[in-house]
Structures are given as C-alpha cells and as structure tokens.
Amino acid sequence: VRMVGEVWRVPIPKSGAPPATWEDAQQVTFDQAKIESMDMTPDGKKFVLDTDRGGQRNLWTLTMPGGEMQKVITEKMVKLLPALSSYGQEIAYTSIIGGERRIWVVPVGGGPSRRLTKQEVYEAYTTWSPDRQEIAFHSGEVGKYDIWIVPAQGGTPRQLTVHPATDWWADWSPDGKWILFSSNRRGNSIYGGPATGNLRLWKIPAAGGKPEPLTDIYVMQGNWSPDGKKVYYTTYRDNNIWEVSAEGGDERQ
C-alpha cells in the first residue's frame, strides 16, 4: 500500500459564516504521490513541495494557476520540509544524509546548495525572516529541541527559546517582530502539568524575550496570515483548520 497525499485549497470563510466543506475545496496537485509538506509565497502564486514523485523525496516548485511541476534539485538524497524566502528566490530545506538531518539553502530555480550551519545535530523546520536576512529553525543543539536563528548566508546561530520542553515548527510573522512556534511547555487542567502537556501555539519576539501562549487546543503546526493579524493551524482534536487572532482569544473553525 502506497500512501498518497495531494494539495487542496479552500476559501477562508468570513466572520460569522459556517466552516468550509469539501464542496468548497479545489484540488491543486494530481500526482498520486506523497506530498508531506509545502510552502508558498504570500501572494499564493508559487508553491514549493516535498514529494516522492519519481520515486524519491525531493523538492519541486509549482506556479499557480496552471503551471507545471519543476524539480529543484537533482542530487540523490532525501530532501524535505521546504521554506520559501519572502519573494520566492531561495528555498531553505532539510536533507537526510546517513540518517542525519541538516539544513541547506538552494536557489528556487536550482543550482548549488549551501549548508546553513555547522552543528552536527538534528536540525529541521525552517522559516525565513521577511527581509530574508535570517532563518529560524528548531535544533537539538543542547540535547532537546529549541528554536534557533542563523544568518541566511550562514554563521553562528543564536538560541531563541530556552525551556525543558519541546519547541519546534517555527513561523516568522510578516512584520518580522514575532516567531510562532509549537510547544508542550505548559500543560493545563486537561493535558497535564508543566512541560508535559500536548502541543499548543506560542509566539516570542524575534529579538528575544518572553513567550506568550496563543491557543489552548492541542495543535500541530501554525502559520501566520499574510497580514499578520491571524494565525491558522490544524488540531489533533479533529484534524480541521482553525484560526485565532495574533493577540490570542477565541478560536474559530
């Protein structure tokens, strides 16, 4: 049995409207391949996907509407978890070589990749600053997962989050001021005590500071809206898409 996952899109319902359904959805890819992760430019016109079309996990781009899938990298190694820079010129991605995960950057049209960090630890899930000068990612540098930031041209990373819990899946806000991430750093009456609760969404100043919780729902990965006023995410509770204000508050399906 081969697992298949395609990309679909749905309109975001206006406030007070019922949630979108499959009748509202439009299919974007038709490869009958496994697509595990993707990213897009803020205008929604260019996608980058990791897909096993052709038999091996690799990076492909797709221009909307009606474009053809284009392979980015030809080297035979597993490449996944792509992140586009804000104007779509470069892709940060994770490679798996000998079982180890490392972060690289490649031009969107293809070409030589450059290694982003020199640490020999688990690294994954990148996100670009809006000015394309820095990249945030999660790393096991200190024996657990925290959010780190490194210059986009390479250099010495700086640690952004410090906590015994797991912090990962970062996303940089459009105004460059905040980084969204998922963490189990604070339990609640449903999910347990400190650092043992299920993942929830947090935000932290990109310059460093105190994290703030945004959700109470058991979440997966979150992403900012293009205007930075909302955060969208999926939940383990029902696998549907939800939104919450960037300032926190009531969550909407």
Side-chain angles (χ1 to χ4, degrees):
V1 177
R2 181 166 179 255
M3 184 179 292
V4 170
E6 304 287 6
V7 175
W8 294 69
R9 63 180 182 178
V10 294
I12 297 172
K14 294 181 179 180
S15 180
T21 68
W22 276 112
E23 283 71 27
D24 303 307
Q26 295 179 329
Q27 191 169 352
V28 175
T29 64
F30 299 85
D31 270 352
Q32 287 295 296
K34 181 181 179 182
I35 297 172
E36 185 161 325
S37 61
M38 54 171 278
D39 195 19
M40 69 178 76
T41 51
D43 62 9
K45 293 182 179 180
K46 184 180 287 291
F47 289 80
V48 60
L49 316 104
D50 73 58
T51 170
D52 65 357
R53 71 188 321 243
Q56 185 179 32
R57 292 274 292 280
N58 210 321
L59 304 184
W60 295 73
T61 57
L62 173 65
T63 301
M64 296 288 292
E68 296 291 329
M69 295 275 279
Q70 301 290 327
K71 194 173 186 179
V72 178
I73 304 174
T74 58
E75 291 94 338
K76 291 185 177 181
M77 61 180 179
V78 175
K79 296 163 285 290
L80 66 162
L81 307 174
L84 274 168
S85 60
S86 56
Y87 294 104
Q89 301 99 330
E90 292 187 297
I91 303 167
Y93 67 93
T94 301
S95 70
I96 302 179
I97 304 174
E100 299 296 329
R101 297 194 176 208
R102 303 288 182 259
I103 294 174
W104 301 72
V105 173
V106 64
V108 73
S113 296
R114 66 176 186 271
R115 175 86 182 273
L116 195 60
T117 66
K118 297 181 180 179
Q119 283 76 3
E120 299 302 322
V121 296
Y122 181 105
E123 301 170 333
Y125 296 105
T126 53
T127 178
W128 292 77
S129 63
D131 63 5
R132 309 186 305 280
Q133 297 303 303
E134 294 182 299
I135 294 174
F137 60 100
H138 83 236
S139 169
E141 171 70 13
V142 291
K144 60 185 182 58
Y145 296 132
D146 291 291
I147 308 300
W148 292 66
I149 295 176
V150 65
Q153 297 302 314
T156 302
R158 62 181 172 94
Q159 188 171 357
L160 183 65
T161 67
V162 181
H163 197 278
T166 294
D167 297 338
W168 57 358
W169 285 337
D171 192 44
W172 215 305
S173 66
D175 64 6
K177 295 180 180 179
W178 295 91
I179 290 179
L180 182 73
F181 66 98
S182 299
S183 178
N184 64 345
R185 62 174 53 213
R186 192 175 82 184
N188 56 35
S189 59
I190 298 175
Y191 296 131
T196 62
N198 291 327
L199 294 171
R200 306 188 327 173
L201 288 181
W202 295 71
K203 67 176 184 179
I204 185 172
K210 183 179 179 181
E212 301 176 14
L214 281 181
T215 66
D216 290 317
I217 293 177
Y218 182 16
V219 305
M220 299 183 207
Q221 184 176 1
N223 293 94
W224 298 92
S225 63
D227 63 7
K229 295 180 179 180
K230 302 282 187 180
V231 168
Y232 300 104
Y233 53 95
T234 50
T235 75
Y236 284 102
R237 181 175 65 186
D238 55 21
N239 290 315
N240 286 315
I241 300 172
W242 291 67
E243 75 169 19
V244 67
S245 165
E247 303 303 319
D250 293 336
E251 296 151 330
R252 181 172 77 105
Q253 185 174 341

Short mmCIF file of all heavy atoms in Angstrom, two decimals, residues 8-11 20-28:
data_model
loop_
_atom_site.label_atom_id
_atom_site.label_comp_id
_atom_site.label_asym_id
_atom_site.label_seq_id
_atom_site.Cartn_x
_atom_site.Cartn_y
_atom_site.Cartn_z
N TRP A 8 -4.75 20.57 -1.58
CA TRP A 8 -6.05 21.16 -1.84
C TRP A 8 -6.08 22.57 -1.26
O TRP A 8 -5.26 22.92 -0.41
CB TRP A 8 -7.16 20.33 -1.19
CG TRP A 8 -7.33 18.96 -1.76
CD1 TRP A 8 -6.46 17.90 -1.65
CD2 TRP A 8 -8.44 18.48 -2.51
NE1 TRP A 8 -6.96 16.80 -2.29
CE2 TRP A 8 -8.19 17.12 -2.83
CE3 TRP A 8 -9.64 19.05 -2.94
CZ2 TRP A 8 -9.08 16.34 -3.56
CZ3 TRP A 8 -10.53 18.27 -3.66
CH2 TRP A 8 -10.24 16.93 -3.98
N ARG A 9 -7.03 23.37 -1.70
CA ARG A 9 -7.20 24.70 -1.12
C ARG A 9 -8.69 24.96 -0.91
O ARG A 9 -9.55 24.47 -1.64
CB ARG A 9 -6.58 25.77 -1.98
CG ARG A 9 -7.18 25.92 -3.37
CD ARG A 9 -6.48 27.02 -4.13
NE ARG A 9 -7.07 27.23 -5.46
CZ ARG A 9 -6.66 28.15 -6.31
NH1 ARG A 9 -5.65 28.95 -5.99
NH2 ARG A 9 -7.24 28.28 -7.49
N VAL A 10 -8.98 25.74 0.12
CA VAL A 10 -10.36 26.15 0.42
C VAL A 10 -10.37 27.65 0.71
O VAL A 10 -9.37 28.21 1.18
CB VAL A 10 -10.95 25.40 1.63
CG1 VAL A 10 -11.12 23.92 1.34
CG2 VAL A 10 -10.09 25.60 2.87
N PRO A 11 -11.48 28.33 0.43
CA PRO A 11 -11.59 29.74 0.80
C PRO A 11 -11.71 29.86 2.31
O PRO A 11 -12.23 28.96 2.98
CB PRO A 11 -12.87 30.20 0.10
CG PRO A 11 -13.68 28.95 -0.04
CD PRO A 11 -12.69 27.84 -0.26
N ALA A 20 -15.76 26.00 5.92
CA ALA A 20 -15.72 25.46 4.57
C ALA A 20 -15.89 23.94 4.61
O ALA A 20 -15.56 23.28 5.60
CB ALA A 20 -14.39 25.82 3.91
N THR A 21 -16.39 23.37 3.51
CA THR A 21 -16.57 21.93 3.40
C THR A 21 -15.85 21.45 2.15
O THR A 21 -15.28 22.24 1.39
CB THR A 21 -18.06 21.58 3.28
OG1 THR A 21 -18.55 22.05 2.01
CG2 THR A 21 -18.87 22.22 4.40
N TRP A 22 -15.92 20.12 1.91
CA TRP A 22 -15.28 19.57 0.71
C TRP A 22 -15.91 20.10 -0.57
O TRP A 22 -15.27 20.14 -1.61
CB TRP A 22 -15.32 18.04 0.74
CG TRP A 22 -14.20 17.46 1.52
CD1 TRP A 22 -14.29 16.80 2.71
CD2 TRP A 22 -12.80 17.50 1.20
NE1 TRP A 22 -13.04 16.43 3.15
CE2 TRP A 22 -12.11 16.85 2.24
CE3 TRP A 22 -12.08 18.05 0.14
CZ2 TRP A 22 -10.73 16.71 2.23
CZ3 TRP A 22 -10.69 17.91 0.15
CH2 TRP A 22 -10.03 17.24 1.18
N GLU A 23 -17.16 20.53 -0.48
CA GLU A 23 -17.79 21.12 -1.68
C GLU A 23 -17.12 22.44 -2.05
O GLU A 23 -17.19 22.88 -3.21
CB GLU A 23 -19.28 21.35 -1.43
CG GLU A 23 -20.14 20.09 -1.50
CD GLU A 23 -19.91 19.15 -0.32
OE1 GLU A 23 -19.53 19.64 0.77
OE2 GLU A 23 -20.10 17.93 -0.49
N ASP A 24 -16.46 23.10 -1.09
CA ASP A 24 -15.77 24.37 -1.35
C ASP A 24 -14.32 24.17 -1.80
O ASP A 24 -13.67 25.11 -2.24
CB ASP A 24 -15.76 25.24 -0.09
CG ASP A 24 -17.16 25.50 0.44
OD1 ASP A 24 -18.01 25.96 -0.34
OD2 ASP A 24 -17.41 25.22 1.64
N ALA A 25 -13.80 22.95 -1.68
CA ALA A 25 -12.37 22.69 -1.88
C ALA A 25 -12.04 22.53 -3.36
O ALA A 25 -12.85 22.04 -4.15
CB ALA A 25 -11.94 21.46 -1.11
N GLN A 26 -10.83 22.93 -3.71
CA GLN A 26 -10.29 22.75 -5.05
C GLN A 26 -8.97 22.00 -4.95
O GLN A 26 -8.11 22.34 -4.15
CB GLN A 26 -10.05 24.10 -5.74
CG GLN A 26 -11.30 24.89 -6.00
CD GLN A 26 -10.98 26.23 -6.65
OE1 GLN A 26 -9.94 26.81 -6.41
NE2 GLN A 26 -11.90 26.71 -7.48
N GLN A 27 -8.80 20.97 -5.80
CA GLN A 27 -7.57 20.20 -5.79
C GLN A 27 -6.50 20.94 -6.59
O GLN A 27 -6.77 21.46 -7.67
CB GLN A 27 -7.80 18.81 -6.38
CG GLN A 27 -6.64 17.86 -6.18
CD GLN A 27 -7.00 16.43 -6.52
OE1 GLN A 27 -8.16 16.11 -6.78
NE2 GLN A 27 -5.99 15.55 -6.52
N VAL A 28 -5.27 21.00 -6.04
CA VAL A 28 -4.17 21.74 -6.67
C VAL A 28 -3.20 20.81 -7.37
O VAL A 28 -2.72 21.10 -8.46
CB VAL A 28 -3.43 22.59 -5.61
CG1 VAL A 28 -2.21 23.27 -6.22
CG2 VAL A 28 -4.38 23.63 -5.01
#
